[in-house]
């Protein structure tokens, strides 16, 4: 539960934890870095997908989907948090709060499952006995199954966000947040607060969120990455004896891709996992370290969004080419 204390103050956008100017500046830097980085990923890789007559590589389509969810989270929520940090006081009506709370939960949940989808897709690619023709010569269009899976990620999480739309309202300067979700709130924003009928129903929704959209995806990400590493290890053992197999010839490239995806998922697990521990310890224990936990959760939520474009830039050929061209000019 999130309650006011002597170290916290109620402002126009809700409960705000006291932070140093350095923390505020660093947070602003991370948010701007996330916006510029993910916009670059969407623009550069998205352009290559559009220009590719074959419809683009499947992994590129998934990366763009993940980066787009990162970008929307930054624009729809993190930019508003910056406005709160610099002291701009704004309130939303009940209708706007219901819309925004629903959107925040929707986008953050999509962000989690899109990241898991990238990891699972790469594992499935590595485990093929031989690569499909579309992976070598390019397909004639984006595969229907891939697009359907991404549609389901957005649609199912939209359904999950409906309670966030229904059970939220606009508070006032004397209102405090009594519940936090990693997927939406580590503090109230624009005066928007949860308004569940009972404490039990609020904790039930928070627990469901913690299990389905926070804990389960992280466990699955860890398992898929271990599976990818094991598959690459077995491929490496086969390389000397089956040199002509198409999948073996792709092992060096797939190993590089696996390292990039492994780094992405490890970064996500560290970022999201830290936020889960901080927020849910605070929800269920209401300890005295509220300010510390909120600050930790706040920065943990932005680290992956800010740093994932940099990780991709190291391992993605198209992004490397773009940045080399940018630096050369």
């Amino acid at each position: 539960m999130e309650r006011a204390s002597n170290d916290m103050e109620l402002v126009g956008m809700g409960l705000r934890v006291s932070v140093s100017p350095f923390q505020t500046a660093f947070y602003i830097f991370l948010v701007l870095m996330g916006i510029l980085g993910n916009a670059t990923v969407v623009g550069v890789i998205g352009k290559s997908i559009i220009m590719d007559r074959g419809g683009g590589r499947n992994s590129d389509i998934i990366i763009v989907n993940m980066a787009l969810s990162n970008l929307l989270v930054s624009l729809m929520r993190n930019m508003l948090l910056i406005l709160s940090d610099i002291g701009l006081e704004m309130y939303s009506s009940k209708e706007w709060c219901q819309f925004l709370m629903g959107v925040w939960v929707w986008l953050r949940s999509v962000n989690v499952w899109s990241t898991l989808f990238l990891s699972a897709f790469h594992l499935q690619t590595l485990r093929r006995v031989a690569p499909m023709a579309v992976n070598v010569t390019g397909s004639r269009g984006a595969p229907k199954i891939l697009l359907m899976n991404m549609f389901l990620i957005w649609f199912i999480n939209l359904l999950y966000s409906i309670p966030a739309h229904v059970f939220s309202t606009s508070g006032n300067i004397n209102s405090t947040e009594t519940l936090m979700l990693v997927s939406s709130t580590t503090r109230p924003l624009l005066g928007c607060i949860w308004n569940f009928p009972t404490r039990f129903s609020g904790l039930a929704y928070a627990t469901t969120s913690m299990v389905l959209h926070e804990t389960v995806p992280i466990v699955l990400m860890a398992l898929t990455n271990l599976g990818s590493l094991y598959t690459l290890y077995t491929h490496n053992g086969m390389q000397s004896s089956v040199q002509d197999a198409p999948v073996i010839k792709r092992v060096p490239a797939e190993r590089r891709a696996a390292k990039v995806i492994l780094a992405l998922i490890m970064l996500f697990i560290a970022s999201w996992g830290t936020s889960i521990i901080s927020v849910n310890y605070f929800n269920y224990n209401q300890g005295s370290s509220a300010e510390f936990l909120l600050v930790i959760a706040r920065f943990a939520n932005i680290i992956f969004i800010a740093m994932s474009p940099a990780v991709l830039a190291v391992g993605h050929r198209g992004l490397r080419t773009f940045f080399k061209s940018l630096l050369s000019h």
Side-chain angles (χ1 to χ4, degrees):
M1 299 297 174
E2 186 173 353
R3 301 182 184 281
S5 71
N6 294 333
D7 296 323
M8 305 178 191
E9 59 175 334
L10 289 168
V11 297
M13 284 191 172
L15 193 64
R16 181 169 66 183
V17 177
S18 299
V19 293
S20 68
F22 172 77
Q23 289 176 328
T24 299
F26 184 54
Y27 184 79
I28 293 173
F29 169 77
L30 290 176
V31 171
L32 295 178
M33 181 178 174
I35 291 174
L36 293 176
N38 285 286
T40 301
V41 172
V42 172
V44 173
I45 302 181
K47 181 181 178 181
S48 69
I49 293 172
I50 295 172
M51 298 296 290
D52 187 348
R53 294 181 180 179
R57 289 166 53 91
N58 293 351
S59 58
D60 283 350
I61 297 173
I62 299 173
I63 287 172
V64 168
N65 181 63
M66 182 189 72
L68 179 62
S69 68
N70 286 340
L71 180 61
L72 290 175
V73 168
S74 293
L75 293 175
M76 293 296 294
R77 179 165 175 83
N78 295 334
M79 281 298 295
L80 296 176
L81 286 171
I82 288 179
L83 296 179
S84 173
D85 286 340
I86 63 178
L88 184 61
E89 296 186 6
M90 294 188 297
Y91 286 102
S92 294
S93 64
K94 177 182 177 181
E95 290 75 19
W96 271 107
C97 279
Q98 290 181 324
F99 169 76
L100 289 172
M101 291 284 262
V103 167
W104 293 333
V105 169
W106 181 35
L107 293 178
R108 284 299 277 169
S109 299
V110 166
N111 186 230
V112 177
W113 289 100
S114 295
T115 307
L116 171 61
F117 188 40
L118 175 63
S119 178
F121 173 82
H122 187 64
L123 173 61
Q124 186 266 342
T125 300
L126 289 174
R127 286 190 168 179
R128 289 181 186 141
V129 175
M132 297 172 60
V134 296
N135 290 330
V136 178
T137 61
S139 64
R140 295 183 178 180
K144 292 181 180 179
I145 294 179
L146 178 68
L147 296 179
M148 179 60 69
N149 285 334
M150 289 194 296
F151 170 78
L152 288 175
I153 288 174
W154 286 84
F155 180 71
I156 292 175
N157 283 292
L158 177 62
L159 296 180
Y160 164 74
S161 69
I162 290 176
H165 168 78
V166 174
F167 298 114
S168 58
T169 189
S170 179
N172 55 53
I173 198 167
N174 294 317
S175 299
T176 60
E177 184 74 348
T178 58
L179 185 70
M180 291 191 299
L181 296 180
V182 176
S183 56
S184 64
T185 55
T186 53
R187 57 181 168 138
L189 181 59
L190 295 173
C192 300
I193 59 174
W194 292 110
N195 186 33
F196 287 96
T198 64
R199 177 180 176 178
F200 175 79
S201 61
L203 286 175
Y205 186 70
T207 303
T208 302
S209 173
M210 179 181 67
V211 173
L212 294 182
H213 294 274
E214 297 163 15
T215 307
V216 170
I218 281 187
V219 172
L220 292 177
M221 285 180 202
L223 293 176
T224 54
N225 274 277
L226 289 174
S228 294
L229 290 174
Y230 175 76
T231 305
L232 281 171
Y233 174 78
T234 57
H235 281 178
N236 189 49
M238 295 167 55
Q239 191 168 5
S240 59
S241 59
V242 197
Q243 291 291 339
D244 294 330
V247 72
I248 299 303
K249 291 182 178 180
R250 290 175 55 85
V251 166
E254 295 295 352
R255 184 181 291 112
R256 288 193 297 270
K259 289 179 180 179
V260 173
I261 294 174
L262 178 63
L264 276 176
I265 303 306
M266 292 296 290
L267 178 64
F268 185 89
I269 290 174
S271 172
W272 194 252
T274 300
S275 186
I276 289 172
I277 294 171
S278 299
V279 167
N280 285 288
Y281 179 86
F282 189 52
N283 273 344
Y284 294 99
N285 291 278
Q286 304 179 36
S288 59
S289 56
E291 181 176 3
F292 172 75
L293 290 175
L294 290 179
V295 170
I296 292 295
R298 177 186 188 221
F299 281 96
N301 274 329
I302 190 61
I303 288 295
F304 174 76
I305 292 177
M307 298 302 298
S308 58
V311 175
L312 285 171
V314 172
H316 192 279
R317 182 182 303 174
L319 287 173
R320 285 202 310 271
T321 301
F322 171 79
F323 284 111
K324 286 180 180 178
S325 175
L326 194 65
L327 291 174
S328 65
H329 291 82

